[in-house]
Amino acid sequence: MSIKERVVFLDRAVFTTDDLPIPSFDHNWSEFPTTDAADLVPRLFWATTAITHSCPLDADSIGQLHKLTRVVVTGPAVIDDKACDARGIVVRKLPASDAPGPALISLLESLVRAA
Protein backbone atom coordinates (compact mmCIF):
# COMPACT_ATOMS: atom_id res chain seq x y z
CA MET A 1 0.00 0.00 0.00
CA SER A 2 1.41 3.37 -0.97
CA ILE A 3 1.25 6.44 1.18
CA LYS A 4 -0.87 9.31 -0.10
CA GLU A 5 1.41 12.22 -0.92
CA ARG A 6 0.55 15.63 0.49
CA VAL A 7 1.76 18.31 -1.90
CA VAL A 8 1.72 21.98 -0.89
CA PHE A 9 2.49 24.79 -3.36
CA LEU A 10 3.36 27.78 -1.18
CA ASP A 11 3.23 30.58 -3.74
CA ARG A 12 1.36 29.43 -6.80
CA ALA A 13 0.45 32.94 -7.95
CA VAL A 14 4.03 33.81 -8.92
CA PHE A 15 4.73 30.58 -10.81
CA THR A 16 2.49 30.60 -13.89
CA THR A 17 -1.13 31.28 -14.66
CA ASP A 18 -1.35 28.08 -16.73
CA ASP A 19 -3.33 25.17 -15.40
CA LEU A 20 -1.26 22.38 -13.92
CA PRO A 21 -1.87 18.81 -15.03
CA ILE A 22 -3.07 16.46 -12.30
CA PRO A 23 -0.27 14.23 -10.98
CA SER A 24 -0.77 10.52 -11.59
CA PHE A 25 0.22 9.47 -8.05
CA ASP A 26 -2.20 9.28 -5.11
CA HIS A 27 -2.12 12.70 -3.46
CA ASN A 28 -3.76 15.60 -1.71
CA TRP A 29 -2.90 18.94 -3.32
CA SER A 30 -3.03 22.33 -1.60
CA GLU A 31 -1.94 25.59 -3.14
CA PHE A 32 -1.80 29.14 -1.89
CA PRO A 33 -1.39 32.32 -3.94
CA THR A 34 1.28 33.51 -1.48
CA THR A 35 2.59 32.42 1.92
CA ASP A 36 3.84 34.70 4.69
CA ALA A 37 6.70 33.51 6.90
CA ALA A 38 4.33 32.99 9.86
CA ASP A 39 2.18 30.61 7.77
CA LEU A 40 5.03 28.52 6.36
CA VAL A 41 5.26 25.79 9.03
CA PRO A 42 1.48 25.44 9.56
CA ARG A 43 0.93 25.04 5.82
CA LEU A 44 3.73 22.50 5.42
CA PHE A 45 3.28 20.64 8.70
CA TRP A 46 1.63 17.55 7.12
CA ALA A 47 3.24 17.95 3.69
CA THR A 48 5.44 15.29 2.12
CA THR A 49 6.32 17.64 -0.77
CA ALA A 50 6.74 21.40 -0.75
CA ILE A 51 6.75 23.46 -3.92
CA THR A 52 8.10 26.98 -3.63
CA HIS A 53 8.89 29.71 -6.09
CA SER A 54 10.16 32.42 -3.77
CA CYS A 55 9.31 31.33 -0.20
CA PRO A 56 12.55 30.54 1.63
CA LEU A 57 12.93 27.46 3.82
CA ASP A 58 15.43 27.93 6.65
CA ALA A 59 16.86 25.37 9.07
CA ASP A 60 14.41 26.30 11.84
CA SER A 61 11.39 25.72 9.59
CA ILE A 62 12.81 22.52 8.14
CA GLY A 63 13.43 21.19 11.65
CA GLN A 64 9.69 21.42 12.37
CA LEU A 65 8.56 19.59 9.23
CA HIS A 66 8.81 15.92 10.15
CA LYS A 67 6.84 14.53 7.19
CA LEU A 68 8.62 16.55 4.48
CA THR A 69 10.63 14.35 2.10
CA ARG A 70 11.13 16.60 -0.91
CA VAL A 71 11.22 20.25 -1.95
CA VAL A 72 10.79 21.46 -5.52
CA VAL A 73 12.03 24.98 -6.23
CA THR A 74 10.47 26.69 -9.24
CA GLY A 75 12.22 30.06 -8.89
CA PRO A 76 14.65 32.06 -6.73
CA ALA A 77 13.65 30.61 -3.32
CA VAL A 78 16.54 30.11 -0.91
CA ILE A 79 16.52 26.67 0.71
CA ASP A 80 18.83 25.59 3.54
CA ASP A 81 20.38 22.67 1.68
CA LYS A 82 22.46 21.55 4.68
CA ALA A 83 19.38 21.26 6.89
CA CYS A 84 17.53 19.36 4.16
CA ASP A 85 20.48 17.04 3.59
CA ALA A 86 20.73 16.34 7.34
CA ARG A 87 17.05 15.31 7.38
CA GLY A 88 17.20 13.32 4.13
CA ILE A 89 14.98 15.81 2.29
CA VAL A 90 15.53 15.82 -1.48
CA VAL A 91 15.74 19.31 -3.02
CA ARG A 92 15.33 19.75 -6.77
CA LYS A 93 15.26 22.88 -8.91
CA LEU A 94 12.76 22.91 -11.77
CA PRO A 95 14.70 23.19 -15.03
CA ALA A 96 13.79 26.01 -17.41
CA SER A 97 11.00 24.96 -19.77
CA ASP A 98 8.62 26.35 -22.37
CA ALA A 99 5.88 24.45 -20.52
CA PRO A 100 6.67 24.92 -16.81
CA GLY A 101 3.40 23.41 -15.54
CA PRO A 102 3.82 20.03 -17.24
CA ALA A 103 7.56 20.10 -16.43
CA LEU A 104 6.74 20.60 -12.74
CA ILE A 105 4.30 17.69 -12.65
CA SER A 106 6.75 15.47 -14.54
CA LEU A 107 9.49 16.30 -12.01
CA LEU A 108 7.13 15.59 -9.10
CA GLU A 109 6.11 12.25 -10.56
CA SER A 110 9.72 11.19 -11.07
CA LEU A 111 10.61 12.15 -7.49
CA VAL A 112 7.66 10.22 -6.04
CA ARG A 113 8.47 7.15 -8.16
CA ALA A 114 12.11 7.28 -6.98
CA ALA A 115 11.10 7.28 -3.30
Side-chain angles (χ1 to χ4, degrees), residues 5-13 20 23 25 27-35 42-52 104 108:
E5 296 293 327
R6 296 183 186 272
V7 181
V8 177
F9 201 148
L10 294 169
D11 47 358
R12 172 76 168 90
L20 292 174
F25 54 86
H27 69 284
N28 286 328
W29 181 281
S30 300
E31 61 184 52
F32 302 92
T34 61
T35 296
R43 288 183 176 176
L44 291 178
F45 191 76
W46 294 105
T48 56
T49 302
I51 306 171
T52 179
L104 171 62
L108 284 174

Side-chain angles (χ1 to χ4, degrees), residues 10-70:
L10 294 169
D11 47 358
R12 172 76 168 90
V14 297
F15 175 61
T16 177
T17 58
D18 298 336
D19 288 334
L20 292 174
I22 297 171
S24 62
F25 54 86
D26 194 18
H27 69 284
N28 286 328
W29 181 281
S30 300
E31 61 184 52
F32 302 92
T34 61
T35 296
D36 294 327
D39 295 325
L40 186 71
V41 171
R43 288 183 176 176
L44 291 178
F45 191 76
W46 294 105
T48 56
T49 302
I51 306 171
T52 179
H53 188 80
S54 56
C55 291
L57 286 171
D58 61 17
D60 182 54
S61 297
I62 292 164
Q64 298 176 62
L65 303 172
H66 303 289
K67 301 236 181 245
L68 196 65
T69 59
R70 63 190 71 83

